Coordinates of all heavy atoms in Angstrom, one line a residue:
I2 N 0.8 -1.3 0.0 CA 0.0 -0.1 0.0 C 0.8 1.3 0.0 O 0.6 2.3 -0.7 CB -0.9 0.1 1.2 CG1 -1.9 -1.1 1.1 CG2 -1.6 1.4 1.3 CD1 -3.1 -0.8 0.2
N3 N 2.0 1.2 0.7 CA 2.9 2.4 0.9 C 3.5 2.8 -0.4 O 4.1 3.9 -0.5 CB 4.0 2.1 1.9 CG 3.3 2.1 3.3 OD1 2.3 2.5 3.6 ND2 4.1 1.6 4.2
D4 N 3.4 2.0 -1.6 CA 3.9 2.3 -2.8 C 3.1 3.4 -3.5 O 3.6 3.9 -4.6 CB 4.1 1.1 -3.7 CG 5.1 0.1 -3.1 OD1 6.0 0.6 -2.3 OD2 5.1 -0.9 -3.6
Y5 N 2.0 3.7 -2.9 CA 1.0 4.6 -3.6 C 0.6 5.8 -2.9 O 0.6 5.6 -1.6 CB -0.3 3.8 -4.0 CG 0.0 2.7 -4.9 CD1 0.3 1.5 -4.4 CD2 0.0 2.8 -6.4 CE1 0.5 0.3 -5.1 CE2 0.1 1.7 -7.1 CZ 0.4 0.5 -6.6 OH 0.6 -0.5 -7.3
Q6 N 0.4 6.9 -3.5 CA 0.1 8.1 -2.9 C -1.5 8.2 -2.5 O -1.8 8.8 -1.5 CB 0.4 9.4 -3.6 CG 1.8 9.8 -3.6 CD 2.7 8.9 -4.4 OE1 2.4 8.6 -5.6 NE2 3.8 8.4 -3.9
L7 N -2.2 7.4 -3.3 CA -3.7 7.3 -3.0 C -4.3 6.0 -3.3 O -3.7 5.3 -4.4 CB -4.4 8.5 -4.0 CG -5.9 8.4 -3.9 CD1 -6.4 8.8 -2.6 CD2 -6.5 9.3 -4.9
V8 N -5.1 5.5 -2.5 CA -5.7 4.2 -2.7 C -7.2 4.4 -2.9 O -7.8 5.0 -2.1 CB -5.5 3.1 -1.5 CG1 -6.1 1.9 -1.7 CG2 -4.0 3.0 -1.2
V9 N -7.8 3.8 -3.9 CA -9.1 3.9 -4.4 C -9.8 2.5 -3.9 O -9.3 1.5 -4.5 CB -9.4 4.3 -5.8 CG1 -10.9 4.2 -6.0 CG2 -8.8 5.6 -6.1
L10 N -10.7 2.6 -3.0 CA -11.4 1.3 -2.5 C -12.7 1.3 -3.2 O -13.7 2.0 -2.7 CB -11.5 1.4 -1.0 CG -10.3 1.5 -0.2 CD1 -10.6 1.6 1.2 CD2 -9.3 0.3 -0.4
Y11 N -12.8 0.4 -4.1 CA -14.1 0.3 -5.0 C -15.0 -0.7 -4.4 O -14.7 -1.9 -4.5 CB -13.8 0.3 -6.5 CG -15.0 0.5 -7.3 CD1 -15.4 1.8 -7.6 CD2 -15.7 -0.6 -7.8 CE1 -16.5 1.9 -8.5 CE2 -17.0 -0.4 -8.6 CZ -17.3 0.8 -8.9 OH -18.4 1.1 -9.6
Q12 N -16.2 -0.3 -4.0 CA -17.1 -1.3 -3.4 C -16.5 -2.3 -2.5 O -16.5 -3.6 -2.8 CB -17.9 -1.9 -4.6 CG -18.5 -1.0 -5.6 CD -19.9 -1.5 -6.0 OE1 -20.6 -2.0 -5.5 NE2 -20.1 -1.1 -7.3
P13 N -16.0 -1.8 -1.3 CA -15.3 -2.9 -0.5 C -16.2 -3.8 0.3 O -17.4 -3.4 0.5 CB -14.6 -1.8 0.5 CG -15.3 -0.6 0.5 CD -15.9 -0.4 -0.9
N14 N -15.7 -5.0 0.6 CA -16.4 -5.9 1.5 C -15.3 -6.5 2.5 O -14.2 -6.0 2.6 CB -17.1 -6.9 0.6 CG -16.0 -7.6 -0.4 OD1 -14.8 -7.7 -0.1 ND2 -16.5 -8.0 -1.5
N15 N -15.7 -7.6 3.0 CA -14.7 -8.1 4.2 C -13.5 -8.6 3.6 O -12.6 -8.7 4.5 CB -15.4 -9.2 4.9 CG -16.0 -10.3 4.0 OD1 -15.6 -10.4 2.8 ND2 -16.8 -11.2 4.6
R16 N -13.3 -8.8 2.3 CA -12.0 -9.1 1.7 C -11.1 -8.1 1.8 O -9.9 -8.1 1.6 CB -12.1 -9.7 0.3 CG -12.9 -11.0 0.4 CD -13.2 -11.5 -1.1 NE -14.0 -10.7 -1.8 CZ -14.2 -10.8 -3.1 NH1 -13.5 -11.6 -3.9 NH2 -15.1 -10.0 -3.7
F17 N -11.5 -6.8 2.1 CA -10.6 -5.6 2.1 C -10.1 -5.4 3.5 O -9.4 -4.4 3.7 CB -11.5 -4.4 1.8 CG -11.8 -4.1 0.3 CD1 -12.6 -5.0 -0.4 CD2 -11.1 -3.1 -0.4 CE1 -12.9 -4.8 -1.9 CE2 -11.4 -3.0 -1.7 CZ -12.2 -3.8 -2.5
N18 N -10.4 -6.3 4.5 CA -10.0 -6.0 5.8 C -8.6 -5.8 6.1 O -8.2 -4.9 6.8 CB -10.6 -7.3 6.8 CG -10.3 -7.1 8.2 OD1 -10.8 -6.0 8.7 ND2 -9.7 -7.9 8.9
K19 N -7.7 -6.6 5.4 CA -6.3 -6.5 5.5 C -5.8 -5.2 5.1 O -4.9 -4.5 5.8 CB -5.6 -7.7 4.8 CG -4.1 -7.6 4.6 CD -3.5 -8.7 3.8 CE -2.1 -8.6 3.5 NZ -1.6 -9.7 2.6
Y20 N -6.4 -4.7 4.0 CA -5.7 -3.5 3.6 C -6.3 -2.2 4.0 O -5.6 -1.2 4.3 CB -6.1 -3.5 1.9 CG -5.4 -4.7 1.3 CD1 -6.3 -5.7 0.8 CD2 -4.1 -4.8 1.1 CE1 -5.7 -6.8 0.2 CE2 -3.5 -5.9 0.5 CZ -4.4 -6.9 0.1 OH -3.7 -8.1 -0.6
I21 N -7.5 -2.3 4.6 CA -8.1 -1.1 5.4 C -7.3 -1.0 6.6 O -7.0 0.1 7.1 CB -9.5 -1.3 5.6 CG1 -10.3 -1.0 4.3 CG2 -10.1 -0.3 6.6 CD1 -11.9 -1.3 4.4
S22 N -6.9 -2.1 7.2 CA -6.0 -2.1 8.4 C -4.7 -1.4 8.3 O -4.2 -0.6 9.1 CB -5.9 -3.5 9.1 OG -7.1 -4.0 9.4
A23 N -4.1 -1.8 7.2 CA -2.8 -1.1 6.8 C -3.0 0.3 6.5 O -2.1 1.1 6.8 CB -2.4 -1.9 5.5
I24 N -4.2 0.7 5.8 CA -4.4 2.1 5.6 C -4.5 2.9 6.9 O -3.9 4.0 7.1 CB -5.7 2.2 4.8 CG1 -5.5 1.9 3.3 CG2 -6.1 3.7 4.8 CD1 -6.6 1.8 2.4
K25 N -5.2 2.3 7.8 CA -5.3 3.0 9.1 C -4.1 3.1 10.0 O -3.8 4.2 10.6 CB -6.5 2.3 10.0 CG -7.8 2.4 9.5 CD -8.9 1.9 10.4 CE -9.0 0.5 10.6 NZ -9.9 0.1 11.6
I26 N -3.3 2.0 9.8 CA -2.0 2.1 10.6 C -1.0 3.1 9.9 O -0.4 4.0 10.6 CB -1.3 0.7 10.6 CG1 -2.2 -0.3 11.5 CG2 0.0 0.7 11.0 CD1 -1.7 -1.7 11.2
N27 N -1.0 3.2 8.6 CA 0.0 4.0 7.9 C -0.6 5.4 7.7 O 0.0 6.3 7.2 CB 0.3 3.4 6.5 CG 1.1 2.0 6.7 OD1 2.0 1.9 7.6 ND2 0.7 1.1 5.8
K28 N -1.8 5.6 8.0 CA -2.5 6.8 7.8 C -2.5 7.3 6.3 O -2.3 8.4 5.9 CB -2.0 7.9 8.7 CG -2.2 7.8 10.1 CD -1.9 9.1 10.9 CE -2.1 8.7 12.4 NZ -3.5 8.3 12.8
S29 N -2.5 6.2 5.5 CA -2.7 6.4 4.0 C -4.0 7.2 3.5 O -5.0 7.1 4.0 CB -2.5 5.1 3.1 OG -1.4 4.4 3.6
N30 N -3.8 7.9 2.5 CA -5.0 8.8 1.9 C -5.7 7.7 0.9 O -5.1 6.9 0.3 CB -4.5 9.8 1.1 CG -3.6 10.9 1.8 OD1 -3.8 11.0 3.1 ND2 -2.9 11.6 1.2
Y31 N -7.1 7.8 1.1 CA -7.8 6.8 0.3 C -9.1 7.5 -0.1 O -9.6 8.4 0.5 CB -8.1 5.6 1.0 CG -9.0 5.6 2.3 CD1 -10.4 5.4 2.2 CD2 -8.4 6.0 3.6 CE1 -11.2 5.6 3.4 CE2 -9.2 6.1 4.7 CZ -10.6 5.9 4.5 OH -11.4 5.9 5.6
F32 N -9.7 6.9 -1.2 CA -11.0 7.3 -1.8 C -11.9 6.1 -1.7 O -11.6 5.2 -2.5 CB -10.8 8.0 -3.1 CG -11.9 8.4 -3.8 CD1 -13.1 8.9 -3.1 CD2 -12.0 8.5 -5.2 CE1 -14.3 9.4 -3.7 CE2 -13.1 9.0 -5.9 CZ -14.2 9.2 -5.2

């Protein structure tokens, strides 16, 4: 995730759990 300046989460479900956790830890910007 850290390789990108912006992460677009399109229609997320429970399979996104791992990456949403990483976004919260790294305080990554997302849409």
Side-chain angles (χ1 to χ4, degrees):
I2 292 288
N3 289 342
D4 294 339
Y5 300 90
Q6 283 76 48
L7 176 64
V8 180
V9 180
L10 305 175
Y11 191 80
Q12 304 215 35
N14 52 31
N15 56 9
R16 290 180 290 171
F17 283 69
N18 186 51
K19 170 183 174 183
Y20 302 107
I21 290 180
S22 297
I24 286 172
K25 290 195 289 185
I26 292 172
N27 297 318
K28 298 189 180 304
S29 302
N30 298 337
Y31 67 92
F32 180 29

